[in-house]
Amino acid sequence: MQEPTGSSDREELPDLQDIKVRGRSIKTWMLSAGAVVLAISAVFGGLDKAAAETPQVAAGTPIDTGQFEVTIQRVVTVADLKPLFRPDNGGALIAVVTKLKVTDDTGVAPPSDLIRLIGVPGIKDTDRPIGTTNLRDQTRDPVLTPEAAEDVAYVWKLPKATELPTEVKLTVRAYEHQDESLLDHHEKWLPGEIAAESTVKVKDNTRQASR
């Protein structure tokens, strides 16, 4: 009778990672499947939602939006800002005061979609401000000089002066540079995603004399 051979005489099975299917190793197929899962997960909310959340930035912190450096300084409510801005009857104004610097090499007016107020009664989240002003010289919708930081206020109307917010949430939009437009063949900045969110206390200046 033939004695059973030892383990050294048996045919060794290949490792899992060395087995090939359609010319590719099992390990490669597993890595590819994992990449697909991650891609699909990212489309539908992601495995790590925290990484995709908009940064929460405190007032006084510079925010890089691509075309601008924006620092939220304060938010105030006022009775009016004559002669530039006036509220509707029975209303007031709310202003987000920013330190705004153009980081591009071309001067531009503050874009109306840069700042949005979120969840403020009487103001839709999509509402643009009624205008902006440079606090240095009270110029309405000023043209900003590159690299020269200016105090610029974004102004909205509040429908009721008796119902003023004590705190607001706001967003700051980023901008993406396009080297050449298909239509006019000029470089330009286009609105992008939200660069940052901030929650700021509101100072009530409605009882003070307007400037």
Side-chain angles (χ1 to χ4, degrees):
M1 179 180 295
Q2 185 175 0
E3 295 293 333
T5 58
S7 59
S8 60
D9 297 328
R10 293 197 200 101
E11 182 180 355
E12 294 186 359
L13 296 176
D15 291 337
L16 181 62
Q17 64 182 10
D18 296 327
I19 298 176
K20 294 185 177 296
V21 178
R22 296 184 182 179
R24 299 173 66 187
S25 70
I26 290 291
K27 181 178 180 180
T28 301
W29 281 106
M30 293 173 67
L31 290 174
S32 298
V36 171
V37 170
L38 288 174
I40 293 174
S41 175
V43 171
F44 290 99
L47 295 175
D48 185 6
K49 291 187 177 181
E53 289 179 353
T54 303
Q56 305 296 311
V57 177
T61 304
I63 302 167
D64 180 9
T65 72
Q67 190 179 9
F68 305 91
E69 181 184 273
V70 183
T71 304
I72 304 299
Q73 299 191 88
R74 59 189 180 277
V75 180
V76 299
T77 53
V78 294
D80 62 60
L81 287 171
K82 295 185 293 187
L84 298 179
F85 306 106
R86 296 183 180 182
D88 295 332
N89 290 336
L93 301 175
I94 184 168
V96 177
V97 180
T98 70
K99 179 73 71 175
L100 190 57
K101 180 172 72 174
V102 180
T103 54
D104 190 30
D105 56 5
T106 302
V108 66
S112 62
D113 58 355
L114 176 64
I115 308 290
R116 284 290 182 271
L117 295 176
I118 306 299
V120 176
I123 300 177
K124 296 179 181 178
D125 294 354
T126 56
D127 282 351
R128 295 172 180 263
I130 59 175
T132 62
T133 180
N134 186 333
L135 299 188
R136 176 173 54 83
D137 56 11
Q138 287 78 52
T139 301
R140 179 164 179 167
D141 302 326
V143 175
L144 303 177
T145 303
E147 297 299 330
E150 297 280 4
D151 293 330
V152 175
Y154 278 72
V155 184
W156 287 260
K157 289 182 179 180
L158 288 168
K160 296 182 180 180
T162 56
E163 297 179 7
L164 303 177
T166 58
E167 183 178 83
V168 297
K169 178 180 177 182
L170 56 86
T171 62
V172 179
R173 183 171 297 281
Y175 297 88
E176 299 174 355
H177 187 263
Q178 186 179 69
D179 291 331
E180 185 175 282
S181 169
L182 295 176
L183 296 177
D184 55 20
H185 303 290
H186 292 295
E187 62 177 337
K188 61 178 61 179
W189 289 90
L190 299 176
E193 301 296 324
I194 300 302
E197 295 178 347
S198 187
T199 301
V200 186
K201 298 290 185 181
V202 179
K203 183 179 180 181
D204 181 6
N205 286 346
T206 56
R207 293 176 178 80
Q208 296 183 13
S210 59
R211 302 176 74 176

